[in-house]
Amino acid sequence: MTSPYAKELEVAQLAVQRAALLTKRVFHEKAKGTVSKDDKSPVTVGDFGAQALIISALQANFPADEIVAEEESAQLRADPSLRDQIWEHVRSTRLDDAASEEAVLGGAVKDAEAMLDLIGQGNSQGGARGRIWAIDPIDGTKGFLRGGQYAVCLALMVDGDVKVGVLGCPNLPVNDSAALTADIGANQTDDEGRGVIFSAVIGQGATSRPLGSGALAKGQKISMKPITDLSSASFCESVEAGHSNQSESAQIAQKLGITKPSVRMDSQAKYGSIARGAGDIYLRLPTSKTYQEKIWDHAAGDLIVREAGGQVTDTTGSRLDFSVGRTLASNRGVIAAPAAIHSQVIKVVQEVLGQK
Ligand SMILES: Nc1ncnc2c1ncn2[C@@H]1O[C@H](COP(=O)(O)OS(=O)(=O)O)[C@@H](OP(=O)(O)O)[C@H]1O
Ligand SMILES: [Mg+2]
Ligand SMILES: [Mg+2]
Ligand SMILES: [Mg+2]
């Protein structure tokens, strides 16, 4: 008997791998086709193209499933030149392994119009019922533009619970033990020895494997660092000061006896890094009363960390709730840490936030 979600995992990993081939090409281009969205955040040819390729693979395999994806097609319909730039990438990005490309991912997208339709298919409102995929085609777009970390993110939720999570991180070291000592926060690229896929299926643990471009490489189990002494730990936090409150995190570090500076890294690469022990504690503290976290920014990382032996909660200690729509509506903050120290961190987070 095959294990639960084996097909979903295979499709998700290959879809992320193919989408990452596209983002890697755009990463090395000088002009990345960047435009500004209504909320003033950037989106590039890479984000749109990766979303089209992933949705194409999902629809070829699971046509009845719903999809919640970050990007929208409306802006592209009014911009034929941008559409054509994206189409050029979508048309020409293929896995090296022809069998996986055709038999698993369903092959090429028909034309530019079909591509726009695919991008627009990620408009599900989410919720607590049924099978829903969450896609962040490029998480950490600012990092992608800056030459930092970014991640191609895909997760399957069933009745509001994350069952499968995959993160493709082209700029992280492949090797889990090398990553332990590498400077994972600094400016990064996808040179030799870089590019990793993290994945997890509920109840089956978490793995990492080289990102590659052909048949999937063999994976290895990953687990969080067994920290007992917080004084040797460090936080892994956003690069962008607007995404997490850095002065509160400094106070929390001090109270916990953490002396090392925070590792600053864009995207869900943070979740993957702590899940393989190349980092300790993911901390995200709200900066605004109105911003709502999006499910695609957390779903895959949440499962990967929990399957690697961690706990992921908000600042009250409750699990993240992926069942309420496209956002984590009432969520305040995220703390992901090895299970043994998670409650200790939450206690101090609450002390510091409570002082305000
Ligand atoms: N105001 C605010 N507060 C919190 N979070 C926000 C905010 N604005 C945006 N975002 C989301 O942050 C995503 C980027 O992830 P990180 O914050 O972890 O990384 S970093 O900021 O790039 O360092 C980023 O994901 P992408 O848009 O996929 O890059 C955003 O969804
Ligand atoms: Mg994101
Ligand atoms: Mg994104
Ligand atoms: Mg974005």
Side-chain angles (χ1 to χ4, degrees):
M1 208 187 82
T2 54
S3 45
Y5 299 109
K7 177 74 182 166
E8 286 82 354
L9 177 65
E10 185 194 19
V11 171
Q13 290 184 123
L14 289 169
V16 163
Q17 188 192 46
R18 181 173 68 175
L21 292 177
L22 185 150
T23 63
K24 279 157 63 82
R25 273 169 57 185
V26 178
F27 182 81
H28 289 288
E29 282 178 1
K30 223 178 160 134
K32 296 182 174 62
T34 311
V35 289
S36 192
K37 298 201 277 189
D38 291 347
D39 66 0
K40 305 280 186 286
S41 68
V43 58
T44 74
V45 162
D47 302 62
F48 289 118
Q51 179 162 318
L53 285 178
I54 294 172
I55 294 181
S56 172
L58 293 179
Q59 292 205 330
N61 286 279
F62 312 110
D65 292 1
E66 288 187 34
I67 300 172
V68 170
E70 180 180 357
E71 309 307 343
E72 295 170 2
S73 58
Q75 206 171 0
L76 298 179
R77 294 198 184 272
D79 190 341
S81 143
L82 184 60
R83 178 201 64 195
D84 291 347
Q85 279 182 63
I86 301 162
W87 172 240
E88 185 48 36
H89 284 287
V90 168
R91 187 187 62 73
S92 59
T93 304
R94 294 276 172 285
L95 292 179
D96 291 346
D97 179 30
S100 298
E101 173 66 40
E102 292 300 322
V104 186
L105 296 186
V109 176
K110 201 167 97 240
D111 53 31
E113 197 50 41
M115 175 190 80
L116 291 188
D117 286 342
L118 285 169
I119 292 170
Q121 296 294 309
N123 62 354
S124 161
Q125 289 311 300
R129 293 255 178 79
R131 287 169 52 103
I132 304 175
W133 294 87
I135 304 174
D136 193 338
I138 293 183
D139 182 37
T141 306
K142 287 182 178 165
F144 178 76
L145 291 166
R146 209 195 304 111
Q149 290 298 331
Y150 72 97
V152 178
C153 315
L154 182 58
L156 171 66
M157 295 166 306
V158 180
D159 298 335
D161 203 25
V162 188
K163 303 293 189 188
V164 179
V166 175
L167 294 176
C169 301
N171 294 354
L172 278 183
V174 177
N175 191 300
D176 294 335
S177 49
L180 281 169
T181 48
D183 180 3
I184 50 179
N187 268 359
Q188 301 290 342
T189 184
D190 55 6
D191 298 343
E192 190 63 30
R194 293 189 181 256
V196 59
I197 297 189
F198 300 106
S199 55
V201 174
I202 191 139
Q204 297 177 30
T207 48
S208 78
R209 51 166 53 73
L211 183 56
S213 57
L216 287 173
K218 195 173 162 344
Q220 57 175 34
K221 286 268 177 224
I222 53 171
S223 52
M224 309 268 299
K225 218 194 276 176
I227 308 168
T228 46
D229 179 11
L230 270 164
S231 66
S232 61
S234 62
F235 288 138
C236 195
E237 298 183 79
S238 291
V239 174
E240 299 291 329
H243 294 181
S244 183
N245 189 314
Q246 299 185 352
S247 70
E248 283 168 354
S249 88
Q251 291 173 52
I252 293 162
Q254 198 184 20
K255 279 200 161 206
L256 284 168
I258 292 176
T259 52
K260 288 192 203 158
S262 292
V263 175
R264 300 210 179 274
M265 193 190 298
D266 304 275
S267 85
Q268 291 194 58
K270 291 187 276 298
Y271 283 113
S273 293
I274 66 165
R276 64 169 164 178
D280 304 316
I281 302 162
Y282 174 132
L283 190 64
R284 192 176 186 87
L285 301 169
T287 51
S288 97
K289 289 216 155 50
T290 51
Y291 182 77
Q292 293 190 343
E293 294 289 347
K294 309 300 188 289
I295 61 171
W296 54 77
D297 282 327
H298 300 281
D302 172 90
L303 183 67
I304 289 166
V305 165
R306 288 187 293 110
E307 287 295 325
Q311 280 179 14
V312 185
T313 69
D314 62 14
T315 52
T316 72
S318 304
R319 284 268 309 275
L320 305 190
D321 183 358
F322 294 96
S323 74
V324 292
R326 289 173 68 88
T327 71
L328 296 162
S330 54
N331 162 273
R332 300 297 291 159
V334 181
I335 291 129
I341 58 161
H342 185 269
S343 60
Q344 218 180 321
V345 179
I346 291 282
K347 187 168 159 280
V348 171
V349 167
Q350 290 176 350
E351 280 169 21
V352 169
L353 297 190
Q355 284 167 0
K356 289 203 303 181

